[in-house]
Amino acid sequence: MENLELRYLQRLAELYPTIAAASTEIINLEAIRNLPKGTEHFITDIHGEYEAFSHVLKNGSGSVKKKIDEVFDHTLSEADKSALATLIYYPNEKMALIRQTEENMDDWYKITLYRLIQICKKASSKYTRSKVRKQLPKDYAYVIEELITEKPDVLDKEAYYNSIVDTIIDIQRAEDFIVALCHLIQQMVVDHLHILGDIYDRGPGPERIMDRLMSYHSLDICWGNHDIVWMGASAGSLPCIATVLRICARYGNLDILEDGYGINMIPLATFATRVYGDDPCSLFRLKGENSTRLPNENELNMRMHKAISIIQFKLEGQLFGEHPEFHMEDRMLLDKIDYERGVIRLDGKEYALLDHNFPTIDPSDPYRLTADETEVMERMQRAFTQCEKLYQHMNLLLNKGKLYCIYNNNLLYHGCMPLTEDGEFMKVDVFGKKLCGRELYDELEKYVRKAFFAVNEEERKKGRDIIYWIWCSPQSPLFGKDKMATFERYFIAEKETHVEHKNPYYQLLNNEEIMNRVLREFGLPEDAHIVNGHVPVLQSSGESPVKCSGKVLIIDGGFSKAYQGKTGIAGYTLIYNSYGMQLVALKPFTSTEDAVRNETDIHGDRILVMNAPHRLHVSDTDIGRRLKERIDELKELLKAYRSGVINEMV
């Protein structure tokens, strides 16, 4: 036995000091490997839609309803099943309604408790008792464990369980107990959550989504382009900060920053009022304007919107000028404007500008911030970098997030794999290194982390700068278009300038040879899947989320309300359980009140993607393979004990 192997076994012996201890662990791990595979839930492009996201988390994209059907089958009516499902999603709200009409609450409590206990038993059956115990609510852990665990030593089980339930009701803890059981069911029907990016922007509640994810029991996150720009803002990147402010202003969501993160908007509001007070800023109307907002509030938001947009165009121009290796000079547009004539020259053609009022732009030095703009951005930078709540949320993205994820034979990412027209991996210059494929992703992720953690300020700045490149570059795996036509959409009427051509990846999604090459690049076999977010699937136009004969799954179907008019649905989610993979089409979410009062749900049509040849077990997963490695190591330890190479610590 080699010294290195012997030293490893000696360390392992510290954890399992006897033959009995090592043997017990082998038996335990083998038992776990033979449990059914846990359910994975894939969600992407949430875009701040907290209520819809929360509902999908609660229902597990139909997983809760499936458990109810499995337990009660034809013994409950569909109406009773819907009522029970709604109770599990919204226990407090639903019970408040039931109390208004139910004459005998004690009977209702008893019936409901028994039903919830049966669902808990079913949901927990694929987990070890130890894992279930860790998920139990602290206040009721012992009682719930008694109720959902078989007691072979109890002769009269029915009387035993009845006495527990009767006591819960008698001491007036039934409602608290029902809430605890409902939350436990929500937690146990999904073993692991995958977020494939774009938690932020457009919708009004991204900070609430992040709060929810902070306490989620098991998840990973693939960064989206809208997440990465918030990460850059938190790290202090001025172009990222300006972009975050502009998008919040554009969608009428500045209260996310003010109320959600405590970032003071007064410096920007004061500046915008002073500089653009006589400007109608008509090109900067808010998307999805709130009818309850006062006219003067709308006017202020439009001025702030224009002010920060001009600042953003200046700052990104400075960045692209500083980094010619980014190859983004074509997006430096302020120096292409003839300010006297009010026209801009793009691709050899002149276009009239819809707005000629640029009081802060010096035509001889168009990318220079004025003293007032500089002061505003310095104050915004301090506010973003010193915001404790934003730091916590970005820390979650750093701890749980990556540019891509490989999990249980699936490759997960947001955006696209940058490809050339002929399907080759696009070579990209990252600070002097020509990289493509997996190496590109890995190098970019290193720089993102450097923006937060590098000791060397030069490396830290490179990280901040590359984050903005990741946000908007045609070569970025998170963007995947030939340009971000923000300026054109604001200032030019001609639609031809608004077009953003997608990377060839999107035309090659059905090319099996190329998709297999992508999988091999990440060390995956050809029977693996690519799960992809970022680009909404236009179901209303007949587009399918299933590409390349099921090898590629595009699961963004329009969570954001801004997309739903084009997509025809409210997003796709993906469920991967022990029986296979299913895409779930979501219906638009109306409101929590409607969901509770009318028992409406939003999971709709299901598309079978992969039917497992046999029921999958933990042994078929990444965790199962790691457990097998540990079992093999423990068997080597047993040999060492029995051969006398290592002595038991008895």
Side-chain angles (χ1 to χ4, degrees):
M1 185 178 290
E2 296 182 4
N3 287 336
L4 186 61
E5 182 184 355
L6 178 59
R7 284 202 299 273
Y8 177 76
L9 291 178
Q10 287 170 338
R11 298 293 177 270
L12 195 60
E14 294 174 6
L15 297 174
Y16 307 99
T18 65
I19 289 175
S23 301
T24 299
E25 184 65 1
I26 290 172
I27 295 166
N28 179 47
L29 296 180
E30 283 287 9
I32 293 172
R33 276 171 44 83
N34 283 284
L35 288 170
K37 174 193 175 298
T39 297
E40 297 171 55
H41 192 190
F42 300 72
I43 305 177
T44 187
D45 295 85
I46 306 159
H47 284 302
E49 298 291 347
Y50 172 75
E51 285 202 350
F53 169 73
S54 177
H55 187 81
V56 171
L57 271 197
K58 291 172 185 291
N59 71 18
S61 289
S63 297
V64 169
K65 194 70 180 294
K66 186 173 183 292
K67 283 288 181 285
I68 293 172
D69 288 336
E70 288 174 359
V71 172
F72 297 106
D73 195 18
H74 300 299
T75 62
L76 282 184
S77 68
E78 289 304 315
D80 283 343
K81 289 178 185 177
S82 293
L84 186 56
T86 303
L87 175 72
I88 292 170
Y89 309 155
Y90 303 102
N92 288 308
E93 296 86 345
K94 190 62 178 174
M95 281 191 289
L97 284 179
I98 290 168
R99 282 197 300 271
Q100 296 173 14
T101 57
E102 180 61 47
E103 294 181 0
N104 190 329
M105 283 302 294
D106 282 359
D107 281 352
W108 183 87
Y109 290 144
K110 180 173 284 192
I111 292 168
T112 301
L113 283 167
Y114 274 115
R115 288 175 178 174
L116 293 175
I117 290 163
Q118 291 304 310
I119 298 169
C120 269
K121 284 184 178 180
K122 183 69 175 179
S124 64
S125 63
K126 63 167 62 176
Y127 304 123
T128 63
R129 187 176 296 185
S130 172
K131 184 168 182 175
V132 172
R133 191 177 292 125
K134 290 173 184 175
Q135 296 186 57
L136 295 176
K138 184 178 179 181
D139 290 344
Y140 299 109
Y142 173 77
V143 179
I144 292 176
E145 187 173 0
E146 288 292 297
L147 289 169
I148 66 175
T149 306
E150 289 294 331
K151 298 290 179 185
D153 54 325
V154 177
L155 295 177
D156 191 346
K157 294 182 187 177
E158 187 174 353
Y160 177 71
Y161 294 133
N162 281 343
S163 68
I164 295 175
V165 171
D166 288 342
T167 303
I168 291 168
I169 296 169
D170 185 55
I171 63 173
Q172 300 181 359
R173 301 303 291 172
E175 293 202 3
D176 282 348
F177 205 82
I178 285 170
V179 171
L181 287 173
C182 290
H183 289 163
L184 181 61
I185 291 167
Q186 290 179 29
Q187 191 167 324
M188 287 195 298
V189 295
V190 172
D191 188 43
H192 188 80
L193 175 66
H194 303 284
I195 303 291
L196 272 73
D198 280 1
I199 296 165
Y200 281 89
D201 291 336
R202 294 193 174 91
E207 80 286 4
R208 298 174 67 195
I209 295 169
M210 292 300 293
D211 281 341
R212 186 74 181 274
L213 294 178
M214 292 273 288
S215 60
Y216 200 81
H217 58 278
S218 180
L219 83 155
D220 55 58
I221 301 169
C222 291
W223 301 328
N225 55 321
H226 286 272
D227 306 319
I228 206 79
V229 76
W230 277 76
M231 293 169 74
S234 175
S237 162
L238 290 177
C240 289
I241 291 170
T243 300
V244 165
L245 289 167
R246 179 187 63 79
I247 294 173
C248 284
R250 181 174 176 78
Y251 288 90
N253 287 329
L254 287 171
D255 54 348
I256 292 171
L257 295 167
E258 289 190 295
D259 301 333
Y261 287 111
I263 293 174
N264 190 352
M265 291 291 104
I266 290 177
L268 179 59
T270 303
F271 167 77
T273 301
R274 184 170 66 251
V275 176
Y276 298 97
D278 297 327
D279 188 335
C281 300
S282 56
L283 300 183
F284 294 86
R285 286 191 172 88
L286 280 56
K287 282 187 171 286
E289 290 184 19
N290 189 334
S291 59
T292 63
R293 194 178 289 121
L294 298 174
N296 61 341
E297 190 178 354
N298 266 331
E299 290 171 6
L300 175 59
N301 282 349
M302 289 163 66
R303 293 187 183 110
M304 294 169 71
H305 186 188
K306 180 173 182 179
I308 198 60
S309 297
I310 300 302
I311 291 173
Q312 178 193 318
F313 299 139
K314 288 184 177 186
L315 289 169
E316 65 184 17
Q318 291 177 18
L319 181 69
F320 300 150
E322 181 185 348
H323 291 286
E325 71 275 17
F326 286 0
H327 304 293
M328 297 284 287
E329 296 88 348
D330 63 321
R331 302 314 301 156
M332 298 173 65
L333 301 182
L334 299 185
D335 62 313
K336 311 297 188 298
I337 297 174
D338 184 327
Y339 290 90
E340 290 186 2
R341 296 169 54 219
V343 298
I344 186 170
R345 191 166 187 82
L346 297 176
D347 300 323
K349 185 176 178 180
E350 281 192 349
Y351 297 93
L353 295 176
L354 298 172
D355 184 342
H356 303 172
N357 185 34
F358 300 112
T360 68
I361 296 179
D362 178 357
S364 65
D365 191 4
Y367 299 108
R368 180 178 57 82
L369 296 183
T370 66
D372 286 344
E373 287 173 327
T374 299
E375 182 182 358
V376 167
M377 291 312 297
E378 286 176 349
R379 293 180 69 174
M380 288 292 106
Q381 187 181 49
R382 286 195 295 274
F384 272 81
T385 56
Q386 295 174 12
C387 176
E388 180 63 25
K389 185 172 182 178
L390 183 61
Y391 169 80
Q392 291 173 354
H393 288 173
M394 296 305 105
N395 207 37
L396 178 70
L397 290 178
L398 289 163
N399 289 337
K400 297 292 185 180
K402 300 184 70 175
L403 273 177
Y404 67 91
C405 180
I406 298 170
Y407 199 98
N408 287 343
N409 213 37
N410 295 312
L411 173 60
L412 285 55
Y413 52 71
H414 188 89
C416 71
M417 177 65 56
L419 299 176
T420 61
E421 293 285 347
D422 57 1
E424 296 297 323
F425 294 121
M426 182 185 290
K427 288 192 176 295
V428 178
D429 185 345
V430 182
F431 296 124
K433 291 182 181 180
K434 293 285 187 179
L435 303 169
C436 64
R438 187 172 187 172
E439 282 189 340
L440 172 62
Y441 278 79
D442 290 340
E443 189 72 8
L444 290 175
E445 185 174 321
K446 286 178 186 175
Y447 273 103
V448 171
R449 297 186 185 281
K450 284 181 180 183
F452 293 88
F453 304 123
V455 176
N456 182 286
E457 179 52 36
E458 183 180 348
E459 289 297 295
R460 206 176 179 102
K461 184 181 183 305
K462 283 183 179 179
R464 291 195 298 269
D465 291 351
I466 202 73
I467 284 176
Y468 198 75
W469 179 95
I470 295 171
W471 155 250
C472 61
S473 169
Q475 298 178 312
S476 165
L478 294 192
F479 181 52
K481 298 178 184 178
D482 66 338
K483 67 178 180 181
M484 188 175 285
T486 307
F487 182 94
E488 291 90 332
R489 291 176 186 273
Y490 280 122
F491 290 104
I492 303 175
E494 286 81 357
K495 298 291 186 183
E496 67 196 60
T497 66
H498 302 181
V499 177
E500 300 171 344
H501 297 286
K502 296 178 186 176
N503 183 274
Y505 170 85
Y506 293 102
Q507 282 72 54
L508 299 169
L509 281 172
N510 285 308
N511 187 313
E512 189 168 357
E513 179 185 347
I514 292 172
M515 293 302 106
N516 284 339
R517 191 184 308 153
V518 171
L519 289 169
R520 288 196 300 271
E521 174 71 8
F522 287 83
L524 289 167
E526 294 184 358
D527 64 349
H529 296 87
I530 296 170
V531 187
N532 202 164
H534 186 55
V535 176
V537 177
L538 304 181
Q539 191 199 52
S540 58
S541 302
E543 185 180 3
S544 170
V546 181
K547 311 291 185 183
C548 202
S549 302
K551 190 179 293 289
V552 182
L553 308 172
I554 309 292
I555 66 169
D556 177 13
F559 234 108
S560 171
K561 292 176 183 176
Y563 289 137
Q564 289 171 11
K566 293 188 295 184
T567 61
I569 57 170
Y572 284 101
T573 55
L574 178 68
I575 291 293
Y576 182 21
N577 58 28
S578 58
Y579 296 101
M581 302 178 80
Q582 286 187 331
L583 278 165
V584 182
L586 304 179
K587 302 170 188 175
F589 185 76
T590 51
S591 68
T592 299
E593 182 181 358
D594 181 49
V596 175
R597 188 171 295 278
N598 300 316
E599 297 174 356
T600 56
D601 215 335
I602 65 173
H603 55 82
D605 296 337
R606 290 173 174 262
I607 302 171
L608 181 64
V609 176
M610 186 270 286
N611 197 12
H614 58 84
R615 190 175 188 192
L616 299 175
H617 294 85
V618 173
S619 59
D620 299 305
T621 69
D622 294 342
I623 291 174
R625 285 182 278 277
R626 289 196 292 271
L627 294 180
K628 180 65 168 62
E629 290 172 3
R630 175 49 65 100
I631 288 168
D632 291 341
E633 292 164 356
L634 287 167
K635 286 181 178 179
E636 289 300 314
L637 179 60
L638 285 181
K639 288 181 185 177
Y641 279 142
R642 288 166 176 157
S643 64
V645 172
I646 297 176
N647 294 324
E648 290 185 83
M649 301 178 192
V650 291

